[in-house]
């Protein structure tokens, strides 16, 4: 059994069915990317996991213990960063983390140690004594990660942690989460696929209320790999490129061919088997090849395939 198990969970809001027997597991030590478009039910799922929403059907288990709505014993091992974290603006980051430590039952020595450690981890040393109401969105997100880690959780849940941040802010948050993975399992919800590819090792794609794709990221890429080649040429205008494409499309090993502005995308049965034959064919036509690139599978391509 995984550290987190979501088993056949359904949830509706009046006539809107958001989750439809959703099931997935998050293994201990992994960074799980929970992917879906805005409004797909990611936040609803996370609120059910931490006991803030009641599922209509199904069960959720954290570390083997059942999550019960309104009762949160499982949250002793869960850290939660909501999509828009709220703080007491009159407090400083130091005061707020001390407060979080006290309400979780930590002793004074551990509170002091953990506060100093986390302030350093999230890069708020220079702002630790400033009032939180003056913090930027990125600084609040960093403080949110610190509070979620205060009680040393086994599972850290982050709901859209890089949403609405500028590129530098996103990079800083992802770097923190990448470092955190050495001490806790992470569930990261997002619709930003580049963030998932940067730090996640397993993924789950939520669409129409259930998981349409899930597993280890590299295994998924290998399984759904497309043998595609991108080729660009010197001296061919779009008309000539289109004519060339129509000719190459007739080759027996070409599965599909698409003309994209000044390049051809050619899907073949096997790059290893057919790539050399294609290159020889292009050379025999005395074409000057500027670029010949095997297209690696991306999470974006897979995502668009499964939600199409």
């Amino acid at each position: 059994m995984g550290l987190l198990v979501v088993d056949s969970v359904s949830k509706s809001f009046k006539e809107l069915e958001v989750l439809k027997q959703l099931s997935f597991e998050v293994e201990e030590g992994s960074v799980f990317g929970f992917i879906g478009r805005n409004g797909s039910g990611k936040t609803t799922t996370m609120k059910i996991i931490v006991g803030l929403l009641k599922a209509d059907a199904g069960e959720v288990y954290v570390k083997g213990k059942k999550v019960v709505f309104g009762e949160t014993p499982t949250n002793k091992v869960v850290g939660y960063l909501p999509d828009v974290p709220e703080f007491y603006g009159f407090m400083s980051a130091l005061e707020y983390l001390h407060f979080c430590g006290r309400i979780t039952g930590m002793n004074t020595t551990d509170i002091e140690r953990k506060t100093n450690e986390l302030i350093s981890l999230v890069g708020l040393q220079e702002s630790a004594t400033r009032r939180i109401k003056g913090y930027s969105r990125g600084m609040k997100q960093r403080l949110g990660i610190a509070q979620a880690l205060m009680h040393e959780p086994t599972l850290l849940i982050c709901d859209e942690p890089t949403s609405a941040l500028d590129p530098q802010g996103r990079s800083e948050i992802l770097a923190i989460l990448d470092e955190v993975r050495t001490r806790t399992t992470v569930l990261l919800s997002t619709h930003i696929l580049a963030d998932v590819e940067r730090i996640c090792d397993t993924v789950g794609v939520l669409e129409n209320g259930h998981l349409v794709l899930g597993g280890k990221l590299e295994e998924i890429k290998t399984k759904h790999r497309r043998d595609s080649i991108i080729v660009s040429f010197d001296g061919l205008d779009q008309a000539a490129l289109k004519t060339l494409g129509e000719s190459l499309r007739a080759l027996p090993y070409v599965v599909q061919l698409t003309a994209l502005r000044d390049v051809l995308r050619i899907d073949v049965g096997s790059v290893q088997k057919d790539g050399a034959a294609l290159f020889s064919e292009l050379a025999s036509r005395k074409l000057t090849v500027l670029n010949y690139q095997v297209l690696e599978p991306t999470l974006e391509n897979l995502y668009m395939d499964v939600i199409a």
Side-chain angles (χ1 to χ4, degrees), residues 3 16 19 21 34 43 70 136 190 201 216 226 231 285 287 300 306:
L3 175 66
L16 177 62
L19 303 178
Q21 294 191 323
F34 193 34
T43 296
S136 67
T190 185
D201 47 50
K216 293 188 179 297
R226 286 182 177 180
V231 190
R285 295 172 183 247
L287 297 167
E300 182 176 1
V306 298

Side-chain angles (χ1 to χ4, degrees), residues 159-173:
D159 189 2
E160 303 275 7
T162 60
S163 178
L165 296 181
D166 60 30
Q168 181 177 346
R170 279 180 54 207
S171 180
E172 290 171 350
I173 295 299

Side-chain angles (χ1 to χ4, degrees), residues 225-257:
R225 181 186 182 93
R226 286 182 177 180
D227 286 333
S228 302
I229 300 168
I230 297 291
V231 190
S232 62
F233 305 91
D234 183 35
L236 293 185
D237 58 22
Q238 288 192 351
L241 192 68
K242 182 178 179 180
T243 300
L244 173 63
E246 291 172 350
S247 175
L248 295 176
R249 192 177 282 112
L251 295 173
Y253 48 79
V254 173
V255 177
Q256 184 175 339
L257 187 146

Side-chain angles (χ1 to χ4, degrees), residues 280-298:
S280 296
E281 176 68 26
L282 297 175
S284 71
R285 295 172 183 247
K286 302 191 182 302
L287 297 167
T288 302
V289 176
L290 295 179
N291 183 47
Y292 182 93
Q293 177 186 0
V294 176
L295 187 64
E296 292 295 326
T298 67

Side-chain angles (χ1 to χ4, degrees), residues 55-115:
D56 297 333
E59 309 289 352
V60 176
Y61 297 89
V62 176
K63 211 171 182 180
K65 296 182 178 180
K66 182 178 176 180
V67 174
V68 180
F69 168 66
E71 301 177 17
T72 56
T74 49
N75 284 355
K76 291 180 180 179
V77 296
V78 177
Y80 179 51
L81 174 65
D83 52 347
V84 182
E86 297 289 345
F87 305 96
Y88 296 112
F90 61 87
M91 287 184 173
S92 68
L94 285 176
E95 291 169 338
Y96 185 75
L97 292 180
H98 285 173
F99 168 71
C100 291
R102 289 195 298 273
I103 64 176
T104 56
M106 297 172 63
N107 63 51
T108 303
T109 301
D110 286 343
I111 288 174
E112 193 66 30
R113 172 186 60 81
K114 199 65 183 176
T115 296

